[in-house]
Amino acid sequence: MTQKKIITVFGATGAQGGGLVRAILNDPNSEFAVRAVTRDPKSDKAKALAEMGAEVVAADIDDPESLNRVLKGAYGAYFVTFFWDHFSPEKEKEEVKMMAAAAKEVGLKHAIWSTLEDVRKYIPLEDDRMPTLQEKYKVPHFDGKGEADQYFDGVPTTFLLASYYWENLIYFGMGPKKSEDGKYSITFPMGDKKWRASLQTISVSVLTEFLKKAIQ
Ligand SMILES: NC(=O)c1ccc[n+]([C@@H]2O[C@H](COP(=O)([O-])OP(=O)(O)OC[C@H]3O[C@@H](n4cnc5c(N)ncnc54)[C@H](OP(=O)(O)O)[C@@H]3O)[C@@H](O)[C@H]2O)c1
């Protein structure tokens, strides 16, 4: 029997990582096996992944030793950070630096880094059409990720940019709200301002299909 190539998936119990785990495990012809990363292998979500056939392992992206441990022997990895747990681009950058260093150290053949654009390349800090947040960012959860891309220099990497999940309309409190005239409209985060730009959106399930192709 040919040994399957291991893909270490961070955020495996979450939206992005969970989608990739299911996409690989639901494909009987997949050449890949899943090593699903969680902080708590005893959680119900982690147990469900194990039942599906994933190797469930414990790691914390803030613990570099654990990163090395779960990446060792893997062919590739899916890297994602968790901005909304702490709201700190500085922390995110530090985490990506450690992830990329671990990827280099174990010699990953393919990394996928779930990044976003550094908005400051298009709207510099001095441009007051957008407020500057946390003193040096325009969109903190984008800018920090984009700035951290450089850490993957020297690692074969696919940079995946998915700006907004449709699922936010359901699970992130961003769905249409009923106004006094009975009409529904999307008001968060723009209030009653007109949306000048179109918002690039993707469903997590469609994202998963991209990921499945990207991991090859
Ligand atoms: N919402 C959007 O529209 C959107 C669009 C593009 C990008 N993003 C970005 O996506 C990222 C979040 O990804 P997601 O939506 O897939 O997350 P998610 O659904 O919130 O899942 C995150 C999972 O990661 C694990 N986790 C959290 N902290 C961890 C840590 N320190 N070490 C290891 N694992 C940890 C948790 O698993 P355990 O509890 O099992 O450890 C959790 O189940 C954010 O950085 C956000 O900026 C969001």
Side-chain angles (χ1 to χ4, degrees), residues 94-116:
E94 195 51 41
E95 291 168 342
V96 181
K97 195 174 182 180
M98 292 190 287
M99 286 170 161
K104 255 180 225 165
E105 192 167 327
V106 304
L108 279 194
K109 301 280 185 300
H110 189 168
I112 298 184
W113 157 226
S114 178
T115 184
L116 286 167

PDB file of all heavy atoms in Angstrom, residues 94-116:
ATOM      1  N   GLU A  94       3.967  37.600  14.722  1.00  0.00           N
ATOM      2  CA  GLU A  94       4.883  36.738  15.475  1.00  0.00           C
ATOM      3  C   GLU A  94       4.540  35.265  15.248  1.00  0.00           C
ATOM      4  O   GLU A  94       5.420  34.420  15.054  1.00  0.00           O
ATOM      5  CB  GLU A  94       4.778  37.109  16.973  1.00  0.00           C
ATOM      6  CG  GLU A  94       5.877  36.582  17.839  1.00  0.00           C
ATOM      7  CD  GLU A  94       7.282  36.869  17.318  1.00  0.00           C
ATOM      8  OE1 GLU A  94       7.551  37.976  16.815  1.00  0.00           O
ATOM      9  OE2 GLU A  94       8.099  35.941  17.404  1.00  0.00           O
ATOM     10  N   GLU A  95       3.245  34.962  15.217  1.00  0.00           N
ATOM     11  CA  GLU A  95       2.818  33.572  15.006  1.00  0.00           C
ATOM     12  C   GLU A  95       3.212  33.085  13.613  1.00  0.00           C
ATOM     13  O   GLU A  95       3.696  31.961  13.447  1.00  0.00           O
ATOM     14  CB  GLU A  95       1.301  33.459  15.214  1.00  0.00           C
ATOM     15  CG  GLU A  95       0.892  33.660  16.662  1.00  0.00           C
ATOM     16  CD  GLU A  95      -0.607  33.851  16.876  1.00  0.00           C
ATOM     17  OE1 GLU A  95      -1.332  34.175  15.908  1.00  0.00           O
ATOM     18  OE2 GLU A  95      -1.055  33.701  18.020  1.00  0.00           O
ATOM     19  N   VAL A  96       3.031  33.954  12.624  1.00  0.00           N
ATOM     20  CA  VAL A  96       3.367  33.548  11.254  1.00  0.00           C
ATOM     21  C   VAL A  96       4.880  33.341  11.127  1.00  0.00           C
ATOM     22  O   VAL A  96       5.344  32.411  10.454  1.00  0.00           O
ATOM     23  CB  VAL A  96       2.864  34.587  10.229  1.00  0.00           C
ATOM     24  CG1 VAL A  96       3.195  34.138   8.812  1.00  0.00           C
ATOM     25  CG2 VAL A  96       1.375  34.797  10.369  1.00  0.00           C
ATOM     26  N   LYS A  97       5.631  34.206  11.792  1.00  0.00           N
ATOM     27  CA  LYS A  97       7.089  34.063  11.766  1.00  0.00           C
ATOM     28  C   LYS A  97       7.492  32.685  12.307  1.00  0.00           C
ATOM     29  O   LYS A  97       8.324  31.984  11.721  1.00  0.00           O
ATOM     30  CB  LYS A  97       7.709  35.170  12.632  1.00  0.00           C
ATOM     31  CG  LYS A  97       9.173  35.385  12.433  1.00  0.00           C
ATOM     32  CD  LYS A  97       9.596  36.594  13.255  1.00  0.00           C
ATOM     33  CE  LYS A  97      11.055  36.910  13.057  1.00  0.00           C
ATOM     34  NZ  LYS A  97      11.471  38.056  13.830  1.00  0.00           N
ATOM     35  N   MET A  98       6.864  32.291  13.405  1.00  0.00           N
ATOM     36  CA  MET A  98       7.185  30.982  13.995  1.00  0.00           C
ATOM     37  C   MET A  98       6.717  29.841  13.101  1.00  0.00           C
ATOM     38  O   MET A  98       7.405  28.834  12.946  1.00  0.00           O
ATOM     39  CB  MET A  98       6.535  30.861  15.382  1.00  0.00           C
ATOM     40  CG  MET A  98       7.145  31.787  16.410  1.00  0.00           C
ATOM     41  SD  MET A  98       6.593  31.440  18.082  1.00  0.00           S
ATOM     42  CE  MET A  98       4.918  32.029  18.078  1.00  0.00           C
ATOM     43  N   MET A  99       5.561  29.999  12.487  1.00  0.00           N
ATOM     44  CA  MET A  99       5.043  28.948  11.589  1.00  0.00           C
ATOM     45  C   MET A  99       5.983  28.748  10.405  1.00  0.00           C
ATOM     46  O   MET A  99       6.336  27.626  10.046  1.00  0.00           O
ATOM     47  CB  MET A  99       3.661  29.353  11.040  1.00  0.00           C
ATOM     48  CG  MET A  99       2.539  29.261  12.033  1.00  0.00           C
ATOM     49  SD  MET A  99       1.065  30.038  11.335  1.00  0.00           S
ATOM     50  CE  MET A  99      -0.188  29.331  12.375  1.00  0.00           C
ATOM     51  N   ALA A 100       6.381  29.879   9.795  1.00  0.00           N
ATOM     52  CA  ALA A 100       7.251  29.791   8.610  1.00  0.00           C
ATOM     53  C   ALA A 100       8.615  29.222   8.993  1.00  0.00           C
ATOM     54  O   ALA A 100       9.192  28.431   8.233  1.00  0.00           O
ATOM     55  CB  ALA A 100       7.390  31.170   7.970  1.00  0.00           C
ATOM     56  N   ALA A 101       9.115  29.600  10.160  1.00  0.00           N
ATOM     57  CA  ALA A 101      10.410  29.062  10.596  1.00  0.00           C
ATOM     58  C   ALA A 101      10.317  27.555  10.782  1.00  0.00           C
ATOM     59  O   ALA A 101      11.221  26.804  10.378  1.00  0.00           O
ATOM     60  CB  ALA A 101      10.839  29.737  11.900  1.00  0.00           C
ATOM     61  N   ALA A 102       9.213  27.097  11.362  1.00  0.00           N
ATOM     62  CA  ALA A 102       9.031  25.658  11.569  1.00  0.00           C
ATOM     63  C   ALA A 102       8.891  24.952  10.221  1.00  0.00           C
ATOM     64  O   ALA A 102       9.443  23.856  10.018  1.00  0.00           O
ATOM     65  CB  ALA A 102       7.804  25.413  12.441  1.00  0.00           C
ATOM     66  N   ALA A 103       8.162  25.580   9.287  1.00  0.00           N
ATOM     67  CA  ALA A 103       8.002  24.982   7.951  1.00  0.00           C
ATOM     68  C   ALA A 103       9.358  24.788   7.289  1.00  0.00           C
ATOM     69  O   ALA A 103       9.632  23.765   6.650  1.00  0.00           O
ATOM     70  CB  ALA A 103       7.117  25.880   7.086  1.00  0.00           C
ATOM     71  N   LYS A 104      10.229  25.786   7.454  1.00  0.00           N
ATOM     72  CA  LYS A 104      11.582  25.704   6.882  1.00  0.00           C
ATOM     73  C   LYS A 104      12.369  24.603   7.561  1.00  0.00           C
ATOM     74  O   LYS A 104      13.026  23.796   6.905  1.00  0.00           O
ATOM     75  CB  LYS A 104      12.312  27.037   7.106  1.00  0.00           C
ATOM     76  CG  LYS A 104      12.417  27.875   5.861  1.00  0.00           C
ATOM     77  CD  LYS A 104      13.146  29.173   6.146  1.00  0.00           C
ATOM     78  CE  LYS A 104      12.371  30.305   5.493  1.00  0.00           C
ATOM     79  NZ  LYS A 104      12.699  31.616   5.919  1.00  0.00           N
ATOM     80  N   GLU A 105      12.294  24.599   8.861  1.00  0.00           N
ATOM     81  CA  GLU A 105      13.116  23.649   9.623  1.00  0.00           C
ATOM     82  C   GLU A 105      12.773  22.200   9.276  1.00  0.00           C
ATOM     83  O   GLU A 105      13.661  21.371   9.135  1.00  0.00           O
ATOM     84  CB  GLU A 105      12.935  23.894  11.124  1.00  0.00           C
ATOM     85  CG  GLU A 105      13.982  23.146  11.930  1.00  0.00           C
ATOM     86  CD  GLU A 105      14.032  23.612  13.367  1.00  0.00           C
ATOM     87  OE1 GLU A 105      13.781  24.810  13.630  1.00  0.00           O
ATOM     88  OE2 GLU A 105      14.321  22.765  14.218  1.00  0.00           O
ATOM     89  N   VAL A 106      11.497  21.885   9.115  1.00  0.00           N
ATOM     90  CA  VAL A 106      11.138  20.483   8.813  1.00  0.00           C
ATOM     91  C   VAL A 106      11.184  20.200   7.309  1.00  0.00           C
ATOM     92  O   VAL A 106      11.025  19.066   6.887  1.00  0.00           O
ATOM     93  CB  VAL A 106       9.747  20.099   9.366  1.00  0.00           C
ATOM     94  CG1 VAL A 106       9.659  20.356  10.861  1.00  0.00           C
ATOM     95  CG2 VAL A 106       8.636  20.818   8.629  1.00  0.00           C
ATOM     96  N   GLY A 107      11.378  21.232   6.496  1.00  0.00           N
ATOM     97  CA  GLY A 107      11.497  21.040   5.047  1.00  0.00           C
ATOM     98  C   GLY A 107      10.188  20.719   4.356  1.00  0.00           C
ATOM     99  O   GLY A 107      10.130  19.827   3.494  1.00  0.00           O
ATOM    100  N   LEU A 108       9.120  21.452   4.700  1.00  0.00           N
ATOM    101  CA  LEU A 108       7.825  21.227   4.042  1.00  0.00           C
ATOM    102  C   LEU A 108       7.954  21.366   2.531  1.00  0.00           C
ATOM    103  O   LEU A 108       8.634  22.266   2.041  1.00  0.00           O
ATOM    104  CB  LEU A 108       6.794  22.251   4.514  1.00  0.00           C
ATOM    105  CG  LEU A 108       6.052  22.067   5.826  1.00  0.00           C
ATOM    106  CD1 LEU A 108       4.866  23.009   5.877  1.00  0.00           C
ATOM    107  CD2 LEU A 108       5.623  20.638   6.066  1.00  0.00           C
ATOM    108  N   LYS A 109       7.242  20.522   1.812  1.00  0.00           N
ATOM    109  CA  LYS A 109       7.256  20.625   0.339  1.00  0.00           C
ATOM    110  C   LYS A 109       6.248  21.664  -0.145  1.00  0.00           C
ATOM    111  O   LYS A 109       6.365  22.192  -1.241  1.00  0.00           O
ATOM    112  CB  LYS A 109       6.904  19.277  -0.289  1.00  0.00           C
ATOM    113  CG  LYS A 109       7.847  18.147   0.096  1.00  0.00           C
ATOM    114  CD  LYS A 109       9.125  18.197  -0.743  1.00  0.00           C
ATOM    115  CE  LYS A 109      10.046  17.036  -0.480  1.00  0.00           C
ATOM    116  NZ  LYS A 109      10.508  16.956   0.936  1.00  0.00           N
ATOM    117  N   HIS A 110       5.215  21.886   0.653  1.00  0.00           N
ATOM    118  CA  HIS A 110       4.186  22.846   0.221  1.00  0.00           C
ATOM    119  C   HIS A 110       3.468  23.426   1.449  1.00  0.00           C
ATOM    120  O   HIS A 110       2.924  22.666   2.250  1.00  0.00           O
ATOM    121  CB  HIS A 110       3.172  22.152  -0.691  1.00  0.00           C
ATOM    122  CG  HIS A 110       2.212  23.092  -1.359  1.00  0.00           C
ATOM    123  ND1 HIS A 110       1.393  22.707  -2.397  1.00  0.00           N
ATOM    124  CD2 HIS A 110       1.938  24.407  -1.158  1.00  0.00           C
ATOM    125  CE1 HIS A 110       0.660  23.738  -2.792  1.00  0.00           C
ATOM    126  NE2 HIS A 110       0.966  24.779  -2.047  1.00  0.00           N
ATOM    127  N   ALA A 111       3.507  24.730   1.562  1.00  0.00           N
ATOM    128  CA  ALA A 111       2.744  25.404   2.614  1.00  0.00           C
ATOM    129  C   ALA A 111       1.615  26.185   1.948  1.00  0.00           C
ATOM    130  O   ALA A 111       1.804  26.742   0.861  1.00  0.00           O
ATOM    131  CB  ALA A 111       3.641  26.373   3.378  1.00  0.00           C
ATOM    132  N   ILE A 112       0.456  26.186   2.577  1.00  0.00           N
ATOM    133  CA  ILE A 112      -0.587  27.139   2.172  1.00  0.00           C
ATOM    134  C   ILE A 112      -0.766  28.081   3.349  1.00  0.00           C
ATOM    135  O   ILE A 112      -1.005  27.642   4.479  1.00  0.00           O
ATOM    136  CB  ILE A 112      -1.923  26.449   1.840  1.00  0.00           C
ATOM    137  CG1 ILE A 112      -1.748  25.503   0.650  1.00  0.00           C
ATOM    138  CG2 ILE A 112      -2.988  27.490   1.534  1.00  0.00           C
ATOM    139  CD1 ILE A 112      -3.040  24.855   0.198  1.00  0.00           C
ATOM    140  N   TRP A 113      -0.605  29.360   3.080  1.00  0.00           N
ATOM    141  CA  TRP A 113      -0.731  30.374   4.136  1.00  0.00           C
ATOM    142  C   TRP A 113      -1.971  31.195   3.836  1.00  0.00           C
ATOM    143  O   TRP A 113      -2.062  31.846   2.790  1.00  0.00           O
ATOM    144  CB  TRP A 113       0.559  31.201   4.203  1.00  0.00           C
ATOM    145  CG  TRP A 113       0.475  32.589   4.803  1.00  0.00           C
ATOM    146  CD1 TRP A 113       1.035  33.723   4.280  1.00  0.00           C
ATOM    147  CD2 TRP A 113      -0.190  32.992   6.017  1.00  0.00           C
ATOM    148  NE1 TRP A 113       0.761  34.798   5.091  1.00  0.00           N
ATOM    149  CE2 TRP A 113       0.014  34.377   6.172  1.00  0.00           C
ATOM    150  CE3 TRP A 113      -0.934  32.319   6.994  1.00  0.00           C
ATOM    151  CZ2 TRP A 113      -0.501  35.106   7.236  1.00  0.00           C
ATOM    152  CZ3 TRP A 113      -1.456  33.048   8.060  1.00  0.00           C
ATOM    153  CH2 TRP A 113      -1.223  34.417   8.168  1.00  0.00           C
ATOM    154  N   SER A 114      -2.928  31.168   4.770  1.00  0.00           N
ATOM    155  CA  SER A 114      -4.176  31.880   4.596  1.00  0.00           C
ATOM    156  C   SER A 114      -3.967  33.343   4.992  1.00  0.00           C
ATOM    157  O   SER A 114      -4.113  33.718   6.151  1.00  0.00           O
ATOM    158  CB  SER A 114      -5.253  31.231   5.472  1.00  0.00           C
ATOM    159  OG  SER A 114      -6.453  31.950   5.335  1.00  0.00           O
ATOM    160  N   THR A 115      -3.616  34.137   4.007  1.00  0.00           N
ATOM    161  CA  THR A 115      -3.227  35.518   4.261  1.00  0.00           C
ATOM    162  C   THR A 115      -4.299  36.482   3.760  1.00  0.00           C
ATOM    163  O   THR A 115      -5.373  36.060   3.295  1.00  0.00           O
ATOM    164  CB  THR A 115      -1.867  35.796   3.591  1.00  0.00           C
ATOM    165  OG1 THR A 115      -1.446  37.115   3.908  1.00  0.00           O
ATOM    166  CG2 THR A 115      -1.917  35.626   2.085  1.00  0.00           C
ATOM    167  N   LEU A 116      -4.028  37.761   3.858  1.00  0.00           N
ATOM    168  CA  LEU A 116      -4.895  38.779   3.264  1.00  0.00           C
ATOM    169  C   LEU A 116      -4.010  39.912   2.768  1.00  0.00           C
ATOM    170  O   LEU A 116      -2.808  39.944   3.087  1.00  0.00           O
ATOM    171  CB  LEU A 116      -5.920  39.277   4.300  1.00  0.00           C
ATOM    172  CG  LEU A 116      -7.065  38.275   4.601  1.00  0.00           C
ATOM    173  CD1 LEU A 116      -7.850  38.683   5.848  1.00  0.00           C
ATOM    174  CD2 LEU A 116      -8.015  38.152   3.415  1.00  0.00           C
TER     175      LEU A 116
END
